[in-house]
């Protein structure tokens, strides 16, 4: 499917009245997954046996390179350390008192890299490497080079056009870091910003000037980075439409290649530090979505393309090209242009994904290092996908990555009647159609521009696991809008 015109017009957003917007927000503001996988991580189980896990890897490793994703890997490295605590953060991170934790952790990660490389074999081609956290530039330039060297030595076949990216905190990024990263082959950098408003920054304990961010973006480009990303968050305390558009205008001045505009996930039952933000005024759902809609209009007016969910890119960026040409993929690293590649996560809490299985490492640093010291993979939980999981997951991928489902193609591929199989979702989807979120005919289910803001809700209609979570007293997911 080709989607060259998706998300490049503001007409649908401009035509929506405030009253209509409030109605949609109130109706569809529910708890729901972000669908970086299907089934989602809450379905992972410790019942996954080592034999099942090993068989899944063996099957993937033995696939022919002629098969989509057969011998292609995306590697993720979780660096959990941070210099200070940002109150909004829901990531698995550590704010250490000193650097004594770093050396043992990196040594364990190096062993894990070599062990996975041995399982997949020397013929494997790496198409993507991504470092997340935490704060990966908490590491020294020397430590960065050491871990990347371990990766290159273990995987000699890193594609010449591989995307090698890293998330950084501009407040602690030095010229020496930039030099080490470029020297190691990194070609894309993501700078955390969240918001430039001083009151918001104080509320979330992340003070960072526009000038610092702009200068570092320029320095990254001068150093040789081909792609510069900026991460923002809407829905934080003290944000308003007007104040956040000021931040958007500053970001447009920097003109990053990609912008991630995340909705703040208030999951205080998982991250106790987020309770701190309840002392300040969190925007109401209608204000949150108004911030998002106005930001979309602003970004599209300035030439950015709406990729989906919370991502935007310039028309010459590989992410938009993947959307246009039908190769966009959503996984645990968010949106990616590397459709079909297996994802192998390294480090505590990292998640891996094959065609037929998911698994996650242990979340505690001591357990992670202990398991590896015993020559065991630090896998804590996961699942083997059923054929139905794969079928429903494909639909959800199409919703998030194409904004539509080609029903005829799907029926031919799966040898089934689509709406007979999914008669229950159809009931909910018809209501969404009446609200203007999508259109349905015998050939296609297509989200409208407005509907793409509620794509989580649309995807939820195909989720066979959600009902078992609806009666739980403790929430499981963040709000969809």
């Amino acid at each position: 499917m080709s989607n060259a015109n998706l998300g490049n017009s503001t007409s649908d957003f401009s035509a929506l009245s405030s009253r209509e917007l409030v109605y949609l927000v109130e109706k569809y503001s529910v708890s729901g997954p972000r669908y970086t996988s299907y089934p989602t991580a809450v379905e992972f189980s410790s019942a996954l046996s080592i034999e099942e896990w090993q068989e899944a890897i063996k099957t993937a490793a033995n696939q022919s390179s002629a098969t989509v994703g057969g011998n292609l890997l995306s590697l993720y490295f979780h660096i959990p350390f941070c210099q200070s605590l940002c109150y909004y953060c829901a990531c698995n991170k550590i704010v250490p008192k000193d650097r004594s934790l770093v050396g043992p952790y990196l040594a364990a990660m190096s062993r894990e890299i070599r062990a996975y490389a041995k399982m997949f074999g020397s013929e494997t081609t790496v198409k993507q490497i991504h470092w997340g956290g935490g704060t990966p530039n908490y590491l020294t330039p020397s430590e960065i080079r050491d871990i990347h060297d371990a990766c290159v030595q273990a995987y000699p076949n890193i594609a010449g056009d591989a995307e090698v990216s890293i998330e950084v905190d501009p407040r602690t990024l030095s010229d020496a870091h930039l030099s080490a990263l470029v020297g190691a082959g990194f070609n894309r950098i993501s700078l955390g910003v969240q918001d430039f408003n001083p009151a918001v920054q104080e509320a979330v304990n992340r003070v960072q000037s526009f000038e610092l961010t702009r200068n570092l973006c320029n320095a990254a480009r001068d150093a040789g980075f081909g792609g510069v990303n900026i991460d923002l968050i809407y829905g934080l305390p003290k944000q308003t439409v007007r104040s956040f558009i000021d931040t958007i205008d500053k970001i447009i001045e920097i003109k990053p290649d990609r912008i991630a505009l995340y909705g703040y996930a208030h999951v205080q039952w998982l991250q106790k530090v987020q309770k701190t933000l309840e002392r300040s005024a969190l925007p109401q759902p209608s204000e949150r979505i108004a911030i998002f809609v106005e930001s979309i209009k602003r970004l599209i007016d300035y030439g950015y393309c709406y990729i989906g969910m919370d991502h935007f890119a310039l028309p010459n960026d590989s992410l938009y090209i993947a959307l246009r040409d039908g190769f966009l993929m959503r996984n645990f690293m968010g949106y990616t242009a590397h459709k079909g590649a297996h994802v192998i996560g390294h480090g505590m809490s990292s998640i891996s994904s094959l065609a037929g299985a998911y698994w996650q490492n242990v979340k505690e640093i001591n357990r992670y290092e202990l398991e590896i010291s015993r020559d065991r993979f630090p896998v804590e939980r996961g699942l083997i996908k059923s054929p139905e999981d794969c079928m429903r997951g494909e639909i959800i991928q199409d919703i998030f990555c194409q904004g539509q489902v080609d029903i005829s193609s799907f029926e031919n591929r799966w040898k089934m009647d689509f709406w007979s199989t999914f008669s229950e979702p159809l009931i909910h989807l018809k209501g969404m159609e009446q609200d203007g979120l999508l259109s349905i005919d015998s050939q296609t289910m297509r989200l409208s521009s407005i509907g793409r803001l509620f794509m989580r809700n649309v995807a939820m209609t195909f989720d066979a696991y959600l009902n078992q979570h609806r009666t739980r007293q403790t929430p499981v997911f963040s709000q969809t809008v």
Side-chain angles (χ1 to χ4, degrees):
M1 289 181 286
S2 177
N3 293 284
N5 296 317
L6 272 178
N8 293 330
S9 171
T10 62
S11 58
D12 285 354
F13 302 116
S14 300
L16 193 68
S17 71
S18 297
R19 181 176 296 179
E20 290 171 319
L21 181 61
V22 170
Y23 165 77
L24 291 174
V25 168
E26 289 180 346
K27 183 173 182 178
Y28 292 105
S29 181
V30 296
S31 174
R34 298 178 65 86
Y35 291 112
T36 51
S37 72
Y38 183 83
T40 64
V42 297
E43 311 305 334
F44 292 3
S45 169
S46 58
L48 176 72
S49 70
I50 189 66
E51 291 78 17
E52 290 175 314
W53 173 76
Q54 288 176 329
E55 184 61 30
I57 292 183
K58 181 179 178 180
T59 299
N62 289 337
Q63 284 180 337
S64 166
S65 59
T67 303
V68 175
N71 286 334
L72 303 180
L73 290 185
S74 289
L75 306 180
Y76 172 74
F77 299 97
H78 188 73
I79 311 298
F81 310 108
C82 290
Q83 192 71 42
S84 59
L85 186 63
C86 301
Y87 296 157
Y88 57 81
C89 184
C91 299
N92 189 5
K93 70 279 184 185
I94 299 170
V95 182
K97 296 179 181 179
D98 55 46
R99 296 186 58 84
S100 61
L101 295 177
V102 178
Y105 183 78
L106 297 184
M109 182 178 282
S110 295
R111 291 182 65 177
E112 188 183 20
I113 291 170
R114 293 191 294 271
Y116 270 120
K118 184 177 180 180
M119 293 187 76
F120 279 93
S122 60
E123 298 303 313
T124 298
T125 299
V126 175
K127 290 290 293 182
Q128 181 184 23
I129 298 172
H130 182 72
W131 288 27
T135 306
N137 60 299
Y138 183 91
L139 304 186
T140 66
S142 176
E143 289 165 341
I144 289 171
R145 284 189 291 265
D146 288 346
I147 286 294
H148 190 71
D149 285 349
C151 178
V152 171
Q153 291 167 10
Y155 293 99
N157 295 328
I158 297 177
D161 61 348
E163 181 179 277
V164 186
S165 57
I166 186 171
E167 301 169 13
V168 301
D169 183 342
R171 300 173 300 171
T172 57
L173 188 71
S174 66
D175 289 340
H177 279 117
L178 288 176
S179 179
L181 290 168
V182 172
F186 284 80
N187 50 36
R188 184 173 292 276
I189 190 168
S190 294
L191 286 77
V193 172
Q194 322 323 338
D195 194 309
F196 283 126
N197 185 286
V200 177
Q201 291 186 349
E202 289 286 348
V204 301
N205 196 39
R206 188 186 177 99
V207 177
Q208 174 180 324
S209 72
F210 164 69
E211 291 75 19
L212 169 67
T213 306
R214 179 193 58 198
N215 293 342
L216 280 174
C217 286
N218 292 336
R221 290 184 174 115
D222 291 342
F225 280 92
V228 174
N229 305 354
I230 281 184
D231 296 342
L232 303 174
I233 296 179
Y234 68 94
L236 294 175
K238 303 185 182 298
Q239 284 179 338
T240 65
V241 172
R242 183 171 181 177
S243 72
F244 199 75
I245 291 302
D246 288 342
T247 288
I248 292 291
D249 288 342
K250 289 183 172 68
I251 294 299
I252 288 168
E253 182 180 331
I254 296 173
K255 202 170 185 180
D257 302 275
R258 298 178 189 173
I259 296 172
L261 182 55
Y262 298 115
Y264 167 61
H266 194 57
V267 289
Q268 73 280 12
W269 61 91
L270 294 176
Q271 299 291 334
K272 302 302 182 186
V273 68
Q274 290 188 345
K275 285 185 173 293
T276 305
L277 301 186
E278 295 175 0
R279 303 171 191 163
S280 304
L282 287 167
Q284 294 299 308
S286 58
E287 180 83 0
R288 278 174 56 104
I289 200 68
I291 291 172
F292 190 43
V293 170
E294 290 303 315
S295 298
I296 289 176
K297 290 193 285 188
R298 199 73 153 199
L299 290 170
I300 291 175
D301 284 343
Y302 277 94
Y304 284 88
C305 304
Y306 181 34
I307 302 302
M309 185 68 178
D310 40 30
H311 279 59
F312 302 79
L314 293 174
N316 61 346
D317 187 86
S318 61
L319 208 58
Y320 175 70
I321 294 170
L323 170 66
R324 182 194 67 194
D325 296 344
F327 294 107
L328 190 67
M329 180 72 179
R330 186 165 174 80
N331 59 28
F332 294 106
M333 293 183 278
Y335 281 106
T336 173
H338 304 285
K339 187 174 184 177
H342 305 307
V343 178
I344 302 300
H346 305 77
M348 54 185 277
S349 78
S350 65
I351 301 178
S352 300
S353 171
L354 303 179
Y358 299 122
W359 65 90
Q360 184 174 27
N361 280 354
V362 297
K363 298 179 181 180
E364 299 81 18
I365 189 169
N366 291 335
R367 284 190 61 203
Y368 171 75
E369 294 171 5
L370 178 62
E371 291 297 302
I372 290 179
S373 72
R374 294 174 174 174
D375 291 324
R376 296 199 300 237
F377 284 94
V379 176
E380 181 176 60
R381 62 194 190 119
L383 63 80
I384 303 298
K385 290 189 281 186
S386 70
E388 183 177 349
D389 289 337
C390 295
M391 181 171 61
R392 290 175 181 267
E394 185 177 314
I395 295 171
I396 291 171
Q397 277 285 328
D398 285 346
I399 291 169
F400 272 83
C401 297
Q402 304 300 330
Q404 62 184 34
V405 178
D406 185 331
I407 294 172
S408 296
S409 175
F410 192 91
E411 288 178 330
N412 290 333
R413 195 161 52 254
W414 287 92
K415 309 302 179 187
M416 45 80 84
D417 181 274
F418 191 90
W419 291 120
S420 293
T421 303
F422 298 112
S423 57
E424 185 175 346
L426 181 60
I427 297 171
H428 301 286
L429 293 169
K430 284 295 186 181
M432 293 180 175
E433 186 176 33
Q434 292 175 359
D435 286 333
L437 303 188
L438 50 86
S439 60
I440 301 172
D441 58 39
S442 61
Q443 302 298 313
T444 310
M445 183 185 77
R446 189 189 309 273
L447 274 64
S448 66
S449 295
I450 295 301
R452 296 180 77 216
L453 303 183
F454 298 90
M455 60 174 56
R456 290 169 71 180
N457 301 81
V458 177
M460 286 165 63
T461 65
F462 293 95
D463 190 330
Y465 295 90
L466 278 183
N467 283 338
Q468 65 189 2
H469 299 298
R470 296 190 193 280
T471 58
R472 293 177 59 164
Q473 291 185 338
T474 302
V476 178
F477 306 109
S478 61
Q479 293 298 108
T480 56
V481 291

